[in-house]
Amino acid sequence: MNLKQKLIFSLVGILLTTSCVGLNTVSLTSIPAQRTHQVRAEASRFMFFAFNFDNDYVNNMVSDLRDQCPNGVVSGVLTKDEAINYFLYIFWTRKVTATGYCVKGKVDNVSLR
Amino acid sequence: MKWMRRLNLISLVFLCGCAVLHHVQVGEIDNRKKYDLKPIEIKVSEMGVDLNDVRNISKGLMDKDSGKKTDEALQFLQYFQMGPHTGAGVYSIEYIKDIQAKLLSQCPNGFLTGILSIRETREYPVIKGEIVKIKAYCAIPEGAGT
């Protein structure tokens, strides 16, 4: 393997293997005792440099969770906002994940009101 | 370093209207059939000023000496804006004061559920729109009306 090939191999290796994830914010609501039915919603946006002209991609997360829990209560919601950097923040993704538990039946003990 | 100044100015122009997400949070969702869910949304905002943008612009537009003096003056001003915060500094935090009252006024006969809280910044050169947006559902017991 000559020097040129080594350089190309190194560059490709760097491009393919360098990435890191940063956690921006995390939040959690009260967790129910009944934790059998987990629900999850995810919203993400791929970005080139920092070009992002709205944050509307997160708007449907609540309705996504609602759809997974008809006639129930979604509780214990863990919301995680992370930034995945693929290469020097030229290509990166913002990802918001919400996971929770769908509680059905009598849910008066869930702290809602 | 002239190209660096030009790059700063060009990036400022291209990044006009960019949206930065600082914080998002999903609350508990009561999706039981005994409630009618009415979507509501409120948005409050305040103008922020980014002194780093002012510094970059002044460096690009002024001659070397004036640019340096302005840079020093703005750097001095920035010492008064230190500390942890999201987005650019605003001169009054009062804009979020009535956020809860505004939400409740849209839901007088029910309770709020499925609250999605978003803290974001709308980026323009120098001026920033510091925004807090709340989307939620007003849960009204069936038959209670609005």
Side-chain angles (χ1 to χ4, degrees):
Chain A
M1 195 182 274
N2 61 29
L3 186 66
K4 197 178 173 185
Q5 282 172 326
K6 279 180 187 170
L7 272 173
I8 292 169
F9 182 77
S10 303
L11 277 174
V12 172
I14 288 167
L15 278 171
L16 292 178
T17 57
T18 53
S19 68
C20 49
V21 180
L23 182 64
N24 295 324
T25 59
V26 66
S27 67
L28 180 66
T29 66
S30 53
I31 300 168
Q34 191 186 323
R35 299 188 290 268
T36 48
H37 181 190
Q38 197 174 41
V39 290
R40 178 189 169 91
E42 191 179 294
S44 65
R45 176 164 288 173
F46 180 77
M47 290 176 203
F48 177 64
F49 282 107
F51 295 117
N52 176 44
F53 298 100
D54 62 65
N55 293 313
D56 293 346
Y57 62 100
V58 299
N59 284 356
N60 291 328
M61 292 187 72
V62 173
S63 54
D64 285 352
L65 290 173
R66 274 185 69 197
D67 292 344
Q68 294 170 54
C69 187
N71 198 21
V73 174
V74 179
S75 194
V77 182
L78 174 73
T79 314
K80 198 170 60 174
D81 173 16
E82 56 196 314
I84 304 158
N85 170 24
Y86 299 113
F87 182 66
L88 296 177
Y89 278 95
I90 297 170
F91 305 105
W92 54 303
T93 296
R94 279 298 290 267
K95 188 164 88 172
V96 181
T97 315
T99 53
Y101 299 99
C102 176
V103 183
K104 292 195 175 183
K106 195 181 176 191
V107 285
D108 289 340
N109 56 339
V110 176
S111 59
L112 286 170
R113 282 159 286 153
Chain B
M1 296 303 277
K2 214 169 185 178
W3 65 272
M4 194 73 175
R5 292 177 191 168
R6 285 183 184 151
L7 186 70
N8 280 337
L9 284 175
I10 290 166
S11 62
L12 277 174
V13 172
F14 273 99
L15 292 176
C16 274
C18 268
V20 180
L21 182 67
H22 297 294
H23 177 84
V24 60
Q25 180 176 353
V26 180
E28 296 187 354
I29 307 162
D30 192 338
N31 200 26
R32 287 175 291 176
K33 281 180 181 164
K34 63 179 179 176
Y35 298 109
D36 288 328
L37 299 186
K38 186 184 83 170
I40 58 172
E41 178 179 338
I42 64 155
K43 190 162 97 170
V44 291
S45 63
E46 181 61 274
M47 187 184 76
V49 177
D50 190 342
L51 291 179
N52 281 325
D53 279 3
V54 181
R55 288 172 70 181
N56 287 335
I57 289 172
S58 63
K59 275 182 198 170
L61 296 178
M62 292 176 176
D63 60 76
K64 198 179 172 185
D65 285 343
S66 306
K68 197 180 170 191
K69 282 176 186 167
T70 312
D71 187 47
E72 284 169 1
L74 290 167
Q75 195 174 19
F76 180 72
L77 267 181
Q78 281 184 310
Y79 292 135
F80 296 91
Q81 297 184 354
M82 287 169 74
H85 57 90
T86 53
V90 293
Y91 292 97
S92 168
I93 202 74
E94 294 292 302
Y95 71 108
I96 55 158
K97 195 179 156 191
D98 299 325
I99 203 165
Q100 201 173 5
K102 282 177 182 172
L103 272 172
L104 295 176
S105 70
Q106 290 195 40
C107 187
N109 298 329
F111 67 96
L112 293 168
T113 187
I115 298 173
L116 178 70
S117 323
I118 298 166
R119 165 76 182 95
E120 61 182 341
T121 296
R122 185 68 66 162
E123 303 254 0
Y124 304 100
V126 183
I127 303 298
K128 315 288 170 192
E130 302 300 336
I131 300 167
V132 175
K133 193 161 73 176
I134 310 282
K135 290 166 78 76
Y137 290 97
C138 174
I140 303 156
E142 272 185 341
T146 52

